[in-house]
Each structure stands twice: as structure tokens, then as C-alpha cells.
Amino acid sequence: MKKITQMAILLIVFVTVISCKQQQARMPISRSSGTFMKESIERNKKLIAGEEAKIDSIIKSNPQIKYIASKKGYWYHYESKNETDTLRPKKGDIANFDYEIKDLKGNVVYSEVELRPQTYAVDKQNIMMGLRHGIKLMRKNEKVTFLFPSHMAYGYHGDNKRIGSNEPLICTVTLNDFKPETKLKTEN
């Protein structure tokens, strides 16, 4: 009987030790080869190259206009430039601007009247990515025309109204004024 008790205790200890062993992670049942991502990357590269070719043709068709290539992937030129002021909007400033949106053929998608004057808290509100960067390049009373590829405009989704999927845009923006957020609060 003593031997059976010892065997039972030994068996219980053995089972306890085995059951306390840490579980190992299982491999996933299906493995992805990464082809979807590779295909998506190639598709986007072709899309961007096509859009940039269209924008390049616009730039070349107007040699009298000097477009500037931004580091962010869009192009712009000054319709009217303010040489006297040095300040530009920065994060937290409140910018007041007007703008118009056209497609690359020059057709008006949204007029300045439709879009009415905009008030934008710089880098604190969600607006079109290209405008977010472009406004910070401008000085008060400047008018700038931007050529945005779709990834700097409304991207794959569009705006669910008049701007379709992957549509590059021309935006003409007039920065009427901007003020630091703190100064605006004290005026109100």
C-alpha cells in the first residue's frame, strides 16, 4: 500500500510539473506571401507616376509660370506674392483663407463662393493634407495655386460628393489673414 501511495504522489507531482509548463505559440494556419502588399505598392507607384505625368504636362504647357516643387510632393506658384511680410502661419495660429478647387482640366469642382471664407486652426483641424502644408508656406494676402496629386488631396476615398477617387486637384488659395491663437482669444 505504501508503494501505491508513493506512486500516486509521484504521479500527481509529475502531472503538476507537466501541466505548469508554459504553452508555446502556434503558427497561423494560413500564411500570407505578401503578394497583395507588393501588388498594392506597384499599383500605387503607377498611379502616382501617372498623376505626376499629368501635372508635369500642365507645368510644361505654361512655361511662363514658374512652379516650385515642394518637399511634400506637390507643386505651386504665386499668383500674387507678399514681399513685405515675413511671418507665416504656424501651429495653433488661426488662418482665414478663400480657395477654389478645380480638376486638372481646369473645370471648377468647388468655387470660392461655394466654399466661402474658411477659418482654420493650423495643424489642429483636419483639412486636405496639401492645404495643411501649403497654408504654412504662405504669407498674409498672398494668392497661390497648388497642383496636388491625389494623395495630397482627397486620396483614394474622394470627398463623397464631387471629387472622385484618386483625383489630382488644382487649388487656388488666398490667405487673407492669420493670427496667433492666443491673440484671437484675448480679442474675443
Side-chain angles (χ1 to χ4, degrees):
M1 188 71 168
K2 190 175 183 185
K3 238 181 183 185
I4 295 176
T5 308
Q6 286 177 343
M7 286 294 275
I9 292 174
L10 190 59
L11 182 64
I12 291 172
V13 170
F14 180 72
V15 168
T16 306
V17 169
I18 289 176
S19 66
C20 290
K21 183 178 157 186
Q22 196 164 10
Q23 287 186 352
Q24 292 196 358
R26 297 181 306 163
M27 293 296 289
I29 294 171
S30 64
R31 294 188 179 134
S32 175
S33 63
T35 57
F36 174 77
M37 287 302 289
K38 289 176 187 172
E39 290 170 1
S40 179
I41 290 168
E42 287 305 311
R43 192 171 42 251
N44 284 333
K45 283 181 181 179
K46 287 178 185 174
L47 175 73
I48 291 170
E51 290 178 5
E52 287 180 354
K54 289 177 186 175
I55 290 171
D56 193 46
S57 70
I58 290 172
I59 292 170
K60 287 180 179 174
S61 70
N62 297 316
Q64 68 277 12
I65 298 174
K66 301 294 180 208
Y67 281 92
I68 302 165
S70 76
K71 295 177 183 177
K72 300 287 185 181
Y74 58 88
W75 294 261
Y76 62 98
H77 79 89
Y78 289 91
E79 304 258 344
S80 62
K81 195 166 185 171
N82 179 350
E83 300 287 345
T84 57
D85 290 333
T86 57
L87 297 176
R88 300 174 196 263
K90 61 185 182 311
K91 184 175 183 174
D93 290 349
I94 306 299
N96 295 306
F97 66 96
D98 296 309
Y99 72 117
E100 176 180 71
I101 299 176
K102 298 179 185 175
D103 62 17
L104 290 188
K105 293 176 184 169
N107 302 317
V108 176
V109 179
Y110 291 106
S111 71
E112 220 176 276
V113 173
E114 286 178 279
L115 296 172
R116 71 190 178 285
Q118 298 286 313
T119 301
Y120 166 58
V122 178
D123 288 343
K124 291 187 172 188
Q125 275 181 277
N126 192 18
I127 62 170
M128 184 188 341
M129 188 185 309
L131 283 179
R132 200 176 314 149
H133 297 292
I135 286 173
K136 292 189 283 187
L137 295 174
M138 299 175 71
R139 295 182 185 119
K140 198 181 295 186
N141 297 319
E142 285 186 332
K143 186 174 187 177
V144 177
T145 296
F146 296 95
L147 302 175
F148 294 128
S150 64
H151 66 274
M152 293 300 292
Y154 286 92
Y156 175 74
H157 199 281
D159 76 339
N160 292 327
K161 295 175 188 158
R162 297 184 208 163
I163 298 171
S165 175
N166 296 321
E167 190 172 344
L169 299 171
I170 300 171
C171 291
T172 302
V173 181
T174 304
L175 181 61
N176 300 319
D177 195 10
F178 67 91
K179 295 180 181 178
E181 187 178 30
T182 54
K183 186 176 180 183
L184 197 66
K185 285 180 181 176
T186 58
E187 287 177 3
N188 292 334

